[in-house]
Amino acid sequence: MKMLDRYIGRIIITHTLVVFSILLAIYFFSTLVNELGYVGKGTYSTTKAVIYSIMLLPRQAYELFPMVALLGTMLGLGSLATTSELTVMRASGISVKRIAMAVVKAGLLMIVVVIAVGEGIAPKLEKEAHVQRIKAIAQSISLNAGEGLWAKDGDSFISIRRLDPGGKAKGVTLYRLKGQQLAEIAVAASGRYRDGIWHLNKVRKTLFSQKRVKIERVPEMQWKSNLTPDVINLATMAPENLAAWELYDFIGYLKENGLASQRYEVAMWIRLITPLATGGMILLALPFVFGSMRAVGVGQRIMIGALIGIAFYLVNGVFSRIGLIYEIPPIVSAGTPTMMVYLTWFWMMRRLN
Protein backbone atom coordinates (compact mmCIF):
# COMPACT_ATOMS: atom_id res chain seq x y z
CA MET A 1 0.00 0.00 0.00
CA LYS A 2 2.92 2.36 0.55
CA MET A 3 3.76 1.95 -3.13
CA LEU A 4 0.18 2.92 -4.02
CA ASP A 5 0.40 6.02 -1.77
CA ARG A 6 3.65 7.09 -3.39
CA TYR A 7 2.29 6.53 -6.91
CA ILE A 8 -0.93 8.47 -6.37
CA GLY A 9 0.93 11.16 -4.43
CA ARG A 10 3.48 11.58 -7.21
CA ILE A 11 0.73 11.93 -9.83
CA ILE A 12 -1.16 14.54 -7.80
CA ILE A 13 1.93 16.56 -6.83
CA THR A 14 3.18 16.57 -10.45
CA HIS A 15 -0.14 17.88 -11.79
CA THR A 16 -0.36 20.42 -8.97
CA LEU A 17 3.12 21.75 -9.82
CA VAL A 18 2.11 22.07 -13.47
CA VAL A 19 -0.99 24.10 -12.51
CA PHE A 20 1.13 26.18 -10.11
CA SER A 21 3.66 26.93 -12.83
CA ILE A 22 1.01 28.09 -15.29
CA LEU A 23 -0.91 30.30 -12.85
CA LEU A 24 2.20 31.83 -11.30
CA ALA A 25 3.62 32.55 -14.76
CA ILE A 26 0.41 34.39 -15.65
CA TYR A 27 0.57 36.35 -12.39
CA PHE A 28 4.27 37.13 -12.86
CA PHE A 29 3.82 38.56 -16.34
CA SER A 30 0.72 40.56 -15.39
CA THR A 31 2.62 42.08 -12.43
CA LEU A 32 5.67 42.74 -14.58
CA VAL A 33 3.63 44.48 -17.28
CA ASN A 34 2.15 46.77 -14.63
CA GLU A 35 5.59 47.47 -13.12
CA LEU A 36 7.12 48.37 -16.48
CA GLY A 37 5.07 51.55 -16.33
CA TYR A 38 7.25 52.70 -13.41
CA VAL A 39 10.57 51.92 -15.10
CA GLY A 40 12.60 55.09 -15.48
CA LYS A 41 11.32 56.74 -12.31
CA GLY A 42 14.23 57.29 -9.95
CA THR A 43 16.56 54.33 -10.24
CA TYR A 44 13.80 51.82 -10.96
CA SER A 45 14.96 49.65 -13.86
CA THR A 46 13.58 46.70 -15.79
CA THR A 47 15.81 44.36 -13.79
CA LYS A 48 14.41 45.70 -10.52
CA ALA A 49 10.88 45.34 -11.87
CA VAL A 50 11.59 41.67 -12.70
CA ILE A 51 13.09 41.05 -9.24
CA TYR A 52 10.12 42.77 -7.58
CA SER A 53 7.65 40.62 -9.53
CA ILE A 54 9.53 37.44 -8.60
CA MET A 55 9.61 38.37 -4.90
CA LEU A 56 5.81 38.60 -4.85
CA LEU A 57 5.34 35.05 -6.18
CA PRO A 58 5.55 33.19 -2.81
CA ARG A 59 2.68 35.23 -1.38
CA GLN A 60 0.61 34.70 -4.51
CA ALA A 61 1.37 30.97 -4.40
CA TYR A 62 0.00 30.82 -0.84
CA GLU A 63 -3.20 32.64 -1.84
CA LEU A 64 -3.74 30.51 -4.95
CA PHE A 65 -2.98 27.19 -3.30
CA PRO A 66 -6.57 26.11 -2.43
CA MET A 67 -7.64 26.49 -6.07
CA VAL A 68 -4.37 25.01 -7.35
CA ALA A 69 -4.74 22.00 -5.05
CA LEU A 70 -8.27 21.42 -6.32
CA LEU A 71 -7.21 21.64 -9.98
CA GLY A 72 -4.09 19.53 -9.44
CA THR A 73 -6.02 16.80 -7.64
CA MET A 74 -8.79 16.77 -10.25
CA LEU A 75 -6.30 16.55 -13.10
CA GLY A 76 -4.15 13.96 -11.35
CA LEU A 77 -7.01 11.64 -10.47
CA GLY A 78 -8.61 12.40 -13.83
CA SER A 79 -5.51 11.19 -15.63
CA LEU A 80 -5.68 7.95 -13.64
CA ALA A 81 -9.36 7.60 -14.56
CA THR A 82 -8.67 8.29 -18.24
CA THR A 83 -6.06 5.51 -18.41
CA SER A 84 -8.43 3.19 -16.48
CA GLU A 85 -5.93 2.90 -13.61
CA LEU A 86 -8.60 3.89 -11.08
CA THR A 87 -10.85 1.17 -12.50
CA VAL A 88 -8.08 -1.40 -12.07
CA MET A 89 -7.50 -0.21 -8.48
CA ARG A 90 -11.21 -0.57 -7.66
CA ALA A 91 -11.35 -4.00 -9.33
CA SER A 92 -8.37 -5.06 -7.19
CA GLY A 93 -10.39 -4.40 -4.06
CA ILE A 94 -9.01 -0.96 -3.23
CA SER A 95 -11.85 1.16 -1.86
CA VAL A 96 -12.57 4.81 -2.60
CA LYS A 97 -11.76 5.52 1.06
CA ARG A 98 -8.29 3.99 0.66
CA ILE A 99 -7.60 6.04 -2.49
CA ALA A 100 -8.87 9.12 -0.66
CA MET A 101 -6.36 8.47 2.14
CA ALA A 102 -3.52 8.40 -0.39
CA VAL A 103 -4.78 11.71 -1.82
CA VAL A 104 -4.99 13.26 1.66
CA LYS A 105 -1.41 12.20 2.47
CA ALA A 106 -0.14 13.93 -0.66
CA GLY A 107 -2.26 16.96 0.17
CA LEU A 108 -0.89 17.19 3.72
CA LEU A 109 2.68 17.14 2.39
CA MET A 110 1.91 20.00 0.01
CA ILE A 111 0.05 21.94 2.71
CA VAL A 112 3.04 21.76 5.09
CA VAL A 113 5.39 23.06 2.39
CA VAL A 114 3.05 25.87 1.36
CA ILE A 115 2.46 26.94 4.99
CA ALA A 116 6.23 27.18 5.49
CA VAL A 117 6.47 29.37 2.39
CA GLY A 118 3.36 31.45 3.12
CA GLU A 119 4.08 32.13 6.79
CA GLY A 120 7.88 32.18 6.79
CA ILE A 121 9.23 33.29 3.43
CA ALA A 122 6.46 35.20 1.65
CA PRO A 123 5.81 38.04 4.18
CA LYS A 124 9.52 38.85 4.54
CA LEU A 125 10.08 38.81 0.79
CA GLU A 126 7.05 40.98 0.12
CA LYS A 127 8.03 43.61 2.70
CA GLU A 128 11.56 43.70 1.31
CA ALA A 129 10.20 43.92 -2.23
CA HIS A 130 8.04 46.95 -1.37
CA VAL A 131 10.89 48.66 0.48
CA GLN A 132 13.33 48.20 -2.40
CA ARG A 133 10.73 49.28 -4.95
CA ILE A 134 9.84 52.50 -3.14
CA LYS A 135 13.50 53.25 -2.41
CA ALA A 136 14.24 52.99 -6.12
CA ILE A 137 11.24 55.04 -7.25
CA ALA A 138 11.06 57.73 -4.57
CA GLN A 139 14.27 57.26 -2.57
CA SER A 140 12.17 56.98 0.61
CA ILE A 141 9.11 55.30 1.97
CA SER A 142 6.08 57.57 1.97
CA LEU A 143 3.65 56.24 4.54
CA ASN A 144 0.65 57.94 2.98
CA ALA A 145 0.46 60.00 -0.16
CA GLY A 146 -1.82 62.52 1.53
CA GLU A 147 -1.50 63.19 5.23
CA GLY A 148 1.07 60.65 6.38
CA LEU A 149 0.53 58.08 9.10
CA TRP A 150 -1.57 58.74 12.18
CA ALA A 151 -1.33 56.38 15.14
CA LYS A 152 -2.41 56.21 18.78
CA ASP A 153 -0.21 54.97 21.62
CA GLY A 154 -1.77 55.18 25.07
CA ASP A 155 -2.74 58.81 25.71
CA SER A 156 -0.60 60.07 22.83
CA PHE A 157 -1.22 60.53 19.14
CA ILE A 158 1.58 60.73 16.61
CA SER A 159 1.72 61.84 13.01
CA ILE A 160 4.65 60.83 10.78
CA ARG A 161 4.92 62.28 7.30
CA ARG A 162 7.66 59.96 6.06
CA LEU A 163 9.68 56.96 7.24
CA ASP A 164 13.04 56.26 5.64
CA PRO A 165 14.23 52.65 5.14
CA GLY A 166 16.72 52.99 7.98
CA GLY A 167 13.95 53.75 10.47
CA LYS A 168 14.43 57.54 10.48
CA ALA A 169 11.15 59.45 10.65
CA LYS A 170 10.64 62.88 9.13
CA GLY A 171 7.93 65.39 9.94
CA VAL A 172 6.96 64.04 13.37
CA THR A 173 4.15 65.62 15.40
CA LEU A 174 3.33 64.27 18.85
CA TYR A 175 0.11 65.11 20.70
CA ARG A 176 -0.09 64.28 24.40
CA LEU A 177 -3.39 64.26 26.26
CA LYS A 178 -4.07 64.57 29.97
CA GLY A 179 -7.50 63.14 30.50
CA GLN A 180 -9.67 64.80 27.87
CA GLN A 181 -7.44 67.88 27.61
CA LEU A 182 -4.59 68.52 25.21
CA ALA A 183 -1.45 68.89 27.35
CA GLU A 184 1.38 69.13 24.84
CA ILE A 185 2.21 69.30 21.14
CA ALA A 186 5.74 68.45 20.09
CA VAL A 187 6.77 69.09 16.48
CA ALA A 188 10.09 67.54 15.42
CA ALA A 189 11.95 67.84 12.16
CA SER A 190 13.07 64.21 12.42
CA GLY A 191 13.35 61.26 14.75
CA ARG A 192 14.97 57.85 15.05
CA TYR A 193 13.91 54.79 17.04
CA ARG A 194 16.65 53.22 19.19
CA ASP A 195 16.44 50.81 22.13
CA GLY A 196 12.68 51.20 22.60
CA ILE A 197 12.77 55.02 22.54
CA TRP A 198 12.09 57.60 19.84
CA HIS A 199 14.79 60.28 19.78
CA LEU A 200 13.23 63.42 18.29
CA ASN A 201 15.46 66.21 16.92
CA LYS A 202 14.91 69.97 16.58
CA VAL A 203 11.73 69.95 18.62
CA ARG A 204 9.29 72.79 19.21
CA LYS A 205 7.10 72.02 22.23
CA THR A 206 3.82 73.78 22.95
CA LEU A 207 2.68 73.20 26.56
CA PHE A 208 -0.92 73.88 27.52
CA SER A 209 -2.09 74.69 31.04
CA GLN A 210 -5.21 76.29 32.47
CA LYS A 211 -3.55 79.71 32.72
CA ARG A 212 -1.18 79.94 29.77
CA VAL A 213 0.44 78.43 26.72
CA LYS A 214 4.20 77.98 26.81
CA ILE A 215 6.45 77.36 23.81
CA GLU A 216 9.89 75.75 24.15
CA ARG A 217 12.54 74.77 21.65
CA VAL A 218 14.84 71.86 22.49
CA PRO A 219 17.52 70.21 20.35
CA GLU A 220 16.35 66.71 21.31
CA MET A 221 13.67 64.96 23.32
CA GLN A 222 12.96 61.29 24.04
CA TRP A 223 9.61 59.54 23.74
CA LYS A 224 9.13 55.96 24.93
CA SER A 225 6.55 54.19 22.80
CA ASN A 226 5.34 50.81 21.56
CA LEU A 227 5.02 52.33 18.10
CA THR A 228 8.15 50.82 16.57
CA PRO A 229 9.19 51.15 12.89
CA ASP A 230 8.15 47.51 12.47
CA VAL A 231 4.65 48.32 13.69
CA ILE A 232 4.52 51.29 11.31
CA ASN A 233 5.53 49.07 8.40
CA LEU A 234 2.82 46.58 9.36
CA ALA A 235 0.26 49.39 9.44
CA THR A 236 1.17 50.45 5.91
CA MET A 237 0.73 46.93 4.46
CA ALA A 238 -2.56 45.26 3.59
CA PRO A 239 -3.61 42.78 6.33
CA GLU A 240 -3.86 40.01 3.73
CA ASN A 241 -0.12 40.30 3.06
CA LEU A 242 1.01 39.78 6.65
CA ALA A 243 1.91 36.51 8.35
CA ALA A 244 -0.43 35.14 11.02
CA TRP A 245 2.05 35.86 13.83
CA GLU A 246 2.51 39.46 12.58
CA LEU A 247 -1.25 39.92 12.52
CA TYR A 248 -1.51 38.52 16.06
CA ASP A 249 1.11 40.98 17.38
CA PHE A 250 -0.43 43.93 15.54
CA ILE A 251 -3.94 43.06 16.76
CA GLY A 252 -2.56 43.14 20.31
CA TYR A 253 -1.12 46.61 19.69
CA LEU A 254 -4.42 47.88 18.27
CA LYS A 255 -6.46 46.50 21.17
CA GLU A 256 -4.09 47.96 23.76
CA ASN A 257 -4.71 51.38 22.28
CA GLY A 258 -8.45 51.02 21.78
CA LEU A 259 -8.21 50.96 17.99
CA ALA A 260 -10.35 48.97 15.54
CA SER A 261 -8.80 45.57 14.91
CA GLN A 262 -11.58 43.52 13.28
CA ARG A 263 -10.18 43.78 9.76
CA TYR A 264 -6.87 42.36 10.96
CA GLU A 265 -8.62 39.67 13.02
CA VAL A 266 -10.54 38.50 9.95
CA ALA A 267 -7.30 38.41 7.94
CA MET A 268 -5.60 36.38 10.70
CA TRP A 269 -8.41 33.83 10.86
CA ILE A 270 -8.44 33.50 7.07
CA ARG A 271 -4.72 32.67 7.13
CA LEU A 272 -5.22 30.16 9.96
CA ILE A 273 -8.13 28.49 8.18
CA THR A 274 -6.50 28.44 4.72
CA PRO A 275 -4.83 25.01 5.32
CA LEU A 276 -8.24 23.58 6.25
CA ALA A 277 -9.75 25.18 3.16
CA THR A 278 -7.03 23.60 1.05
CA GLY A 279 -7.75 20.19 2.55
CA GLY A 280 -11.43 20.67 1.77
CA MET A 281 -10.71 21.59 -1.85
CA ILE A 282 -8.55 18.47 -2.25
CA LEU A 283 -11.34 16.28 -0.85
CA LEU A 284 -13.85 18.05 -3.09
CA ALA A 285 -12.02 16.71 -6.16
CA LEU A 286 -12.82 13.09 -5.18
CA PRO A 287 -16.59 13.00 -5.86
CA PHE A 288 -16.07 14.77 -9.17
CA VAL A 289 -13.54 12.22 -10.38
CA PHE A 290 -15.35 9.15 -9.04
CA GLY A 291 -18.78 10.50 -9.95
CA SER A 292 -20.17 12.11 -13.05
CA MET A 293 -16.83 13.50 -14.24
CA ARG A 294 -14.93 10.26 -14.50
CA ALA A 295 -15.33 10.15 -18.30
CA VAL A 296 -15.01 13.85 -19.17
CA GLY A 297 -11.99 15.48 -20.78
CA VAL A 298 -9.19 17.53 -19.30
CA GLY A 299 -10.65 20.79 -20.57
CA GLN A 300 -13.93 20.26 -18.72
CA ARG A 301 -12.09 19.36 -15.51
CA ILE A 302 -10.02 22.53 -15.73
CA MET A 303 -13.10 24.64 -16.38
CA ILE A 304 -15.13 23.16 -13.51
CA GLY A 305 -12.16 23.26 -11.11
CA ALA A 306 -11.44 26.88 -12.01
CA LEU A 307 -15.11 27.85 -11.54
CA ILE A 308 -15.20 26.20 -8.11
CA GLY A 309 -11.94 27.90 -7.11
CA ILE A 310 -13.15 31.32 -8.31
CA ALA A 311 -16.48 30.81 -6.52
CA PHE A 312 -14.61 30.01 -3.30
CA TYR A 313 -12.54 33.21 -3.56
CA LEU A 314 -15.64 35.30 -4.25
CA VAL A 315 -17.59 33.79 -1.35
CA ASN A 316 -14.55 34.18 0.92
CA GLY A 317 -14.25 37.86 0.02
CA VAL A 318 -17.98 38.50 0.41
CA PHE A 319 -18.17 36.87 3.85
CA SER A 320 -15.11 38.72 5.14
CA ARG A 321 -16.65 42.06 4.11
CA ILE A 322 -20.08 41.15 5.46
CA GLY A 323 -18.38 40.26 8.73
CA LEU A 324 -16.79 43.71 8.92
CA ILE A 325 -20.01 45.53 8.06
CA TYR A 326 -22.28 43.64 10.46
CA GLU A 327 -19.60 42.98 13.12
CA ILE A 328 -19.88 39.20 12.85
CA PRO A 329 -17.24 37.35 14.93
CA PRO A 330 -14.10 37.06 12.73
CA ILE A 331 -13.84 33.29 13.13
CA VAL A 332 -17.41 32.92 11.80
CA SER A 333 -17.01 35.18 8.77
CA ALA A 334 -13.60 33.68 7.95
CA GLY A 335 -14.61 30.06 8.53
CA THR A 336 -18.04 29.95 6.86
CA PRO A 337 -16.75 29.52 3.25
CA THR A 338 -14.49 26.64 4.34
CA MET A 339 -17.37 25.02 6.21
CA MET A 340 -19.44 25.30 3.02
CA VAL A 341 -16.70 23.44 1.10
CA TYR A 342 -16.75 20.54 3.59
CA LEU A 343 -20.55 20.39 3.63
CA THR A 344 -20.58 20.28 -0.19
CA TRP A 345 -17.99 17.50 -0.18
CA PHE A 346 -19.95 15.51 2.41
CA TRP A 347 -23.19 15.88 0.43
CA MET A 348 -21.54 14.84 -2.84
CA MET A 349 -19.86 11.83 -1.26
CA ARG A 350 -23.19 10.65 0.20
CA ARG A 351 -24.75 10.88 -3.24
CA LEU A 352 -21.79 9.02 -4.73
CA ASN A 353 -22.14 6.21 -2.22
Side-chain angles (χ1 to χ4, degrees), residues 41-171:
K41 295 182 179 180
T43 60
Y44 199 59
S45 63
T46 302
T47 301
K48 291 181 179 180
V50 171
I51 294 173
Y52 173 78
S53 301
I54 292 174
M55 293 175 76
L56 297 186
L57 290 180
R59 190 261 298 174
Q60 190 64 20
Y62 187 74
E63 292 182 355
L64 289 174
F65 187 56
M67 182 171 67
V68 169
L70 171 64
L71 282 168
T73 305
M74 288 179 66
L75 292 176
L77 291 178
S79 68
L80 294 176
T82 301
T83 57
S84 300
E85 291 177 83
L86 283 183
T87 304
V88 173
M89 292 178 192
R90 296 295 305 280
S92 301
I94 300 174
S95 65
V96 173
K97 183 178 179 180
R98 183 64 188 82
I99 296 173
M101 287 299 297
V103 172
V104 169
K105 288 179 182 179
L108 287 175
L109 177 61
M110 294 189 292
I111 289 171
V112 169
V113 173
V114 171
I115 288 176
V117 172
E119 294 296 331
I121 299 174
K124 294 178 181 179
L125 273 181
E126 180 150 9
K127 283 198 284 282
E128 182 63 23
H130 286 302
V131 169
Q132 296 302 324
R133 178 180 182 272
I134 297 174
K135 281 175 62 178
I137 293 175
Q139 304 299 318
S140 60
I141 301 175
S142 178
L143 295 174
N144 187 297
E147 300 177 357
L149 173 77
W150 284 83
K152 180 177 181 291
D153 184 23
D155 293 330
S156 300
F157 292 84
I158 187 171
S159 169
I160 299 177
R161 189 180 72 249
R162 191 190 303 268
L163 182 70
D164 290 339
K168 183 177 181 180
K170 295 181 180 178

Side-chain angles (χ1 to χ4, degrees), residues 243-260:
W245 60 271
E246 292 176 317
L247 287 166
Y248 179 81
D249 289 342
F250 192 57
I251 289 168
Y253 165 79
L254 293 174
K255 287 185 175 180
E256 284 178 6
N257 291 280
L259 302 175

Side-chain angles (χ1 to χ4, degrees), residues 67 281 304-318 337 340:
M67 182 171 67
M281 297 292 258
I304 293 177
L307 288 175
I308 294 173
I310 292 170
F312 175 76
Y313 276 107
L314 291 176
V315 171
N316 215 15
V318 167
M340 292 170 63

Side-chain angles (χ1 to χ4, degrees), residues 266 270 311-326 328 333-334 337:
V266 171
I270 287 176
F312 175 76
Y313 276 107
L314 291 176
V315 171
N316 215 15
V318 167
F319 269 88
S320 64
R321 283 158 181 78
I322 289 176
L324 292 175
I325 294 172
Y326 294 102
I328 300 172
S333 59

